Amino acid sequence: MAAQWQDWAAAERVAPRDAVWLLPYSALLAPARQALAEQGGWQPRVETLATLRAQIAPVSSPSSGPGADAVLNRLRATQWLREAGAVGWAGQDARALRHGVDALVRCAQALQQ
């Protein structure tokens, strides 16, 4: 599989250093890394969802509730709205996005109280 991936990456002009092999479970990490190492050259990152998330996700403070930090609350609200599919109208109307963020933050603060 590692040789096939290398051939595919070369044909598609994918730089291995920019690629990530995403595996379904951690038991496959060591064998996959070993197989890639045997091929030589640059290797892609080999991760599972859990290991990738641990490396790139922001660290959440256990004490950071909805009212802990106003700026962080606004950033989270913006992220949640974008993830919920609000990108269409949010990308077209920045003012509408701000109003949506304000409403979401007010709602979270009301629920906290």
Side-chain angles (χ1 to χ4, degrees):
M1 182 181 256
Q4 288 176 346
W5 182 85
Q6 253 188 350
D7 293 343
W8 174 86
E12 296 295 322
R13 298 183 181 156
V14 173
R17 69 179 175 272
D18 297 333
V20 177
W21 262 27
L22 194 58
L23 302 176
Y25 49 91
S26 61
L28 295 175
L29 289 173
R33 288 178 179 147
Q34 179 64 37
L36 287 165
E38 289 171 2
Q39 295 299 312
W42 281 97
Q43 296 181 23
R45 288 176 61 176
V46 180
E47 306 287 349
T48 65
L49 283 177
T51 61
L52 187 61
R53 184 183 62 228
Q55 291 179 26
I56 65 173
V59 178
S60 296
S61 168
S63 64
S64 63
D69 182 12
V71 173
L72 187 56
N73 289 341
R74 293 189 61 76
L75 289 172
R76 284 183 183 146
T78 303
Q79 179 183 6
W80 290 338
L81 287 173
R82 290 183 193 281
E83 289 173 358
V87 173
W89 60 264
Q92 297 170 359
D93 188 354
R95 199 170 108 195
L97 177 61
R98 282 193 309 272
H99 287 294
V101 168
D102 290 342
L104 184 55
V105 169
R106 280 193 310 270
C107 180
Q109 289 168 344
L111 287 171
Q112 183 185 24
Q113 293 171 357

